[in-house]
Every structure is written in structure tokens, then in C-alpha cells.
Amino acid sequence: MRSIPFFKPSIGKSEIEEVVDCLRSGWLTTGPKTKQFEQEFARYLQRQHAVALNSCTAALHLALEAIGLKAGQRVVVPTMTFAATAEVVRYFNAAPLLADCRADDLNLDVADAAQRIENALAAGEEVVAIIPVHYGGQIGDVAGVKALAGKYHLRVIEDAAHCCPAYYRDDETSPWKPVGAEAEISCFSFYANKTITTGEGGMACTNSAEHADRMRIMSLHGISRDAWKRYTAEGSWYYEIIAPGYKYNLTDIAAAIGLHQLRRADQLHDRRSRWAGLYLELLGDIEELVLPTIRPNRIHSWHLFPVRVKLDHCDLDRAEVISQMKQAGIGASVHWMPLHLHPYYRRELGCEPSDWPRATAIYPELISLPLYPDLTAEDVEYVCRNLKEIIASSRVAVPGADFSAVET
Ligand SMILES: *Cc1c(COP(=O)(O)O)cnc(C)c1O
């Protein structure tokens, strides 16, 4: 039997050698390799500034700090996202305003968000920002979010955790842009199972020198580098604390991995795209499955390959599908249980599942299949063959073709 884990990072010889070089250099924490990683990442994303951090969660937190989020304010967040996107809002005692997803790509539904903003404003609340997520690496309604932000004066902080790299354009005649090129601040994740990894790590990208400075200072105890420069005459031990900051800096050991992952990002993306294409081809004829929609003018990062099992067409539930896949040696996962179904947000925001009808209905059907560069065509074929068999064996008989009922 094959063993196909849900995810395997793709670490090459160059990453390993760079880490060894880092260890031998005697400089382990934030230093020259982090600086170089930031420069190369900013160039890759066509951004002025990239601030390396120890997670995307830290990047989102510092981004909200940089725009001055205040207690009591609301931030639009899709309910179909990972914990991090909303918890950072709670760090400020502000509250997420959870928006439902669109059915085809599970990204934030701008019309739904607009309605919720109107309701919040009518209730006297202050809605100040929006954190769009690009689900699985499928780029959401960028133009719609931009228009919404314009109308309601929202700051746009992009959760681009799945998007290194992903590209979009406004129409067939416009130039391609990488995700992360436009929002006020865009946040990337280099967690172990993301498209490129540093083990743990993240990056905040922006064209604002002021935001970049603030995030850098707050990522390291609120210690001002300017003060440090001004007083170097005092000696290199001198620093000034200008705010109670955090400890979010990236280490050079991690940056050593990131440098080579970034240089291989396009190649890793090509391989994921190939396996996604093969999945689409091999699973296309299973009528019980809804496959990811490919929207025009988008280049998907293929961080995830989520399928929906139409449960009303099958005689089993999602947990059984996953457990049968596991018995066949295949790892699968779920992205995600929507935030409004979690006990914390149900309690804090008084959520009723029916208030987010699409995410609530789609969630029980979602399964993410293994997708990473080091898969083989045989692996993908094996996953598809098994999934087909599991579904075929549970197929609900078409009315009229149910011969078992005829027995007397
Ligand atoms: C992984 C993830 C994050 C958090 O990334 P970390 O680097 O682990 O902090 C944030 N948002 C989304 C959508 C993610 O999938």
C-alpha cells in the first residue's frame, strides 16, 4: 500500500547547506540572511518593503497595530478562514465582522460583507478595516474588495498566507500582478505546510516606509533603530524603547531556508499546478464531487486542492470518507470549520450557524486532498482511484433503479 501524507515540505540540498552555513557563521538570529531574504522577497513581490517575522499571525498582528486599530472597532473577516485572521483582531479588543463566502471559490462574498457593514453602521458601530483571504491560493474578488473599501473607507490588510506566488489581472488586456502588490499591507506565511516554508515564519509587505518602520520596531520589543543610529556615539549597547513591542523577529536559520525556497518558488508552483491539473482531469467525471472552480484572469497558487463531496448523493459522511482514505494510506484534511461555528466566536459574537448559510452548508462537504511538489503522477492517480472507489461504494441508488426494494 502507498503512503501519501497530506503534506510533505520540499527541502533541497541548497536549503540544508545554507542552514549549515548559518550555523557555522556564528550568527543565528536576525542578521544578514534575514536582510537578504527581505530584499529578495520585496523584489519578487514588486513591493518597496518586506519585513520578515516569525509567523504570518505576527505579520497580521503588526499590520493591524501599524494602522492603529482600536478597541471596540470592527474588522471585516471572512468566516471561511484559519483562526489567525480573526484572533489578531481580538488582540486589540476589537471584533471581527464575519462575512459569508461565495459558493464557487469560498472566498469572501463582497455583497454579503456590504450588507453586514450597513447593519453594523446602523447599530452605531465603527467598521475600519477588512482582511481578505485568498482561499487555498485561489484569488478572491480583489476589485470588489477594493470598491467596498473605497465606499466604506476601510483599510485593506491582505491575508496572503496561501499566495506565494499567485497572480491576477483586472481583465485580458491588463498586466499580471502578484498577490500582495496592492493592499496597504500583505501578510505571507512560511509555516511548514505553506507554498514556501522556513519552518515557522512570515512576511509583511507594504509600500509604506512608515508602516515598515513601525512593524520592524514593534517586532523587536519596540526598540527604535533610529534612536540606536543617532546614539551610536554612546556605544553599540545603546537603545531606546518607544513602545511596548513584541518578539516577532525571524531568525537567520529560518531565513537561510527561506532564501532558497523563494528562489525555487516558481518551480515548486509549477509542480503543484501540474498535480492540480491532473486531479481536475482524473476527478472530472465523478458527479458526486464539486471540484475547485478556475476563474479567468487568475493564476492559482495551488496551496490547497479542496473538493466538495455532495453528501446528499452518497451514503456516508465526510468523516467516513477521510477515514477510508486513511485506511488506504492517504492523508486528507479540512479547510476549514468556519469561524462562526467555533465555540469561542459563537459565544463572543452570539453566532447562529444559519446567519452564514453558505459556509454552514458547504463546510460538512469539504475535503482537502494531498497537494505538494514532491507528489508523483502515480500518487495523484492512486488518490483519485481510491476516492472514486470510496464514493462509488456509497453511491445512493438512483430512484427507480433500487432493485433491493422489489424483493417480496
Ligand atoms: C497558515 C495561515 C495563517 C497563519 O500563518 P502562520 O505563519 O502559521 O502564523 C494565517 N492565515 C491563513 C489563511 C493561514 O492559512
Side-chain angles (χ1 to χ4, degrees):
M1 191 178 75
R2 273 171 194 270
S3 170
I4 305 171
F6 176 67
F7 189 80
K8 250 194 292 195
S10 180
I11 300 294
K13 202 161 153 264
S14 48
E15 283 89 332
I16 294 168
E17 283 170 0
E18 192 81 33
V19 168
V20 171
D21 181 67
C22 178
L23 295 174
R24 292 222 164 95
S25 77
W27 194 277
L28 305 186
T29 187
T30 312
K33 291 197 198 292
T34 303
K35 180 102 290 184
Q36 193 183 347
F37 184 37
E38 288 178 336
Q39 283 166 358
E40 292 189 19
F41 200 86
R43 200 177 320 131
Y44 186 70
L45 279 196
Q46 305 166 24
R47 271 305 181 86
Q48 307 275 312
H49 307 279
V51 180
L53 301 161
N54 60 10
S55 73
C56 178
T57 309
L60 290 164
H61 180 193
L62 294 184
L64 294 179
E65 203 276 338
I67 65 164
L69 182 64
K70 304 257 180 322
Q73 294 177 328
R74 306 289 307 254
V75 177
V76 180
V77 170
T79 190
M80 194 52 98
T81 188
F82 181 60
T85 324
E87 78 199 18
V88 293
V89 174
R90 295 295 299 131
Y91 293 174
F92 295 84
N93 266 321
L97 184 59
L98 297 179
D100 207 350
C101 60
R102 342 189 247 203
D104 65 346
D105 65 0
L106 307 193
N107 278 314
L108 180 135
D109 181 330
V110 170
D112 180 78
Q115 189 54 55
R116 289 172 202 271
I117 294 169
E118 288 290 349
N119 295 346
L121 296 176
E125 295 190 285
E126 211 185 338
V127 188
V128 297
I130 182 166
I131 312 182
V133 177
H134 305 290
Y135 178 92
Q138 166 84 289
I139 299 163
D141 184 2
V142 180
V145 167
K146 215 192 274 183
L148 187 78
K151 180 167 180 198
Y152 294 104
H153 309 290
L154 308 177
R155 319 290 289 266
V156 182
I157 304 299
E158 191 171 39
D159 182 340
H162 299 180
C163 292
C164 184
Y167 302 86
Y168 64 101
R169 56 184 180 180
D170 299 328
D171 56 51
E172 278 72 17
T173 59
S174 319
W176 289 101
K177 290 175 273 197
V179 163
E182 280 194 298
E184 187 165 351
I185 303 173
S186 300
C187 304
F188 291 83
S189 174
F190 312 131
Y191 181 66
N193 70 6
K194 295 288 162 62
T195 55
I196 70 167
T197 186
T198 60
E200 299 277 359
M203 194 76 83
C205 296
T206 180
N207 283 339
S208 156
E210 198 182 320
H211 284 342
D213 275 355
R214 178 72 185 179
M215 290 191 287
R216 234 181 260 292
I217 288 168
M218 294 308 281
S219 75
L220 204 55
H221 308 296
I223 289 172
S224 169
R225 282 152 41 94
D226 285 347
W228 182 81
K229 270 187 223 141
R230 229 181 305 138
Y231 291 99
T232 38
E234 300 267 359
S236 58
W237 52 268
Y238 190 86
Y239 60 79
E240 288 179 1
I241 298 162
I242 62 160
Y246 306 94
K247 185 67 171 66
Y248 283 163
N249 55 305
L250 190 74
T251 68
D252 263 24
I253 302 172
I257 305 171
L259 273 171
H260 293 278
Q261 288 272 296
L262 181 62
R263 289 170 196 168
R264 296 202 297 130
D266 293 338
Q267 182 205 331
L268 298 173
H269 179 223
D270 284 349
R271 292 187 67 81
R272 286 194 309 274
S273 303
R274 187 196 306 178
W275 305 138
L278 191 55
Y279 272 132
L280 289 170
E281 189 188 314
L282 296 178
L283 298 175
D285 61 349
I286 308 182
E287 59 181 282
E288 289 88 349
L289 285 186
V290 183
L291 301 180
T293 313
I294 309 299
R295 288 187 159 246
N297 301 315
R298 300 280 190 268
I299 296 174
H300 201 305
S301 80
W302 291 116
H303 166 52
L304 297 177
F305 194 92
V307 297
R308 284 168 58 190
V309 183
K310 293 190 213 158
L311 294 172
D312 50 350
H313 291 54
C314 311
D315 193 21
L316 33 65
D317 65 15
R318 187 239 326 262
E320 288 170 79
V321 177
I322 291 179
S323 124
Q324 289 192 29
M325 288 177 75
K326 192 172 171 199
Q327 283 165 29
I330 302 164
S333 191
V334 175
H335 297 88
W336 297 272
M337 174 154 127
L339 293 179
H340 71 269
L341 296 179
H342 285 277
Y344 174 75
Y345 289 105
R346 282 181 94 139
R347 193 173 69 235
E348 285 296 305
L349 303 173
C351 300
E352 284 299 329
S354 56
D355 291 342
W356 290 266
R358 265 183 241 132
T360 301
I362 291 169
Y363 159 62
E365 306 180 339
L366 282 173
I367 300 179
S368 300
L369 304 181
L371 180 57
Y372 42 92
D374 294 352
L375 284 170
T376 64
E378 290 72 33
D379 290 337
V380 175
E381 282 157 14
Y382 180 81
V383 173
C384 294
R385 196 165 59 242
N386 275 278
L387 187 55
K388 254 181 213 186
E389 279 168 16
I390 292 165
I391 288 172
S393 69
S394 73
R395 198 161 273 158
V396 175
V398 181
D402 186 359
F403 300 112
S404 64
V406 184
E407 253 186 55
T408 46

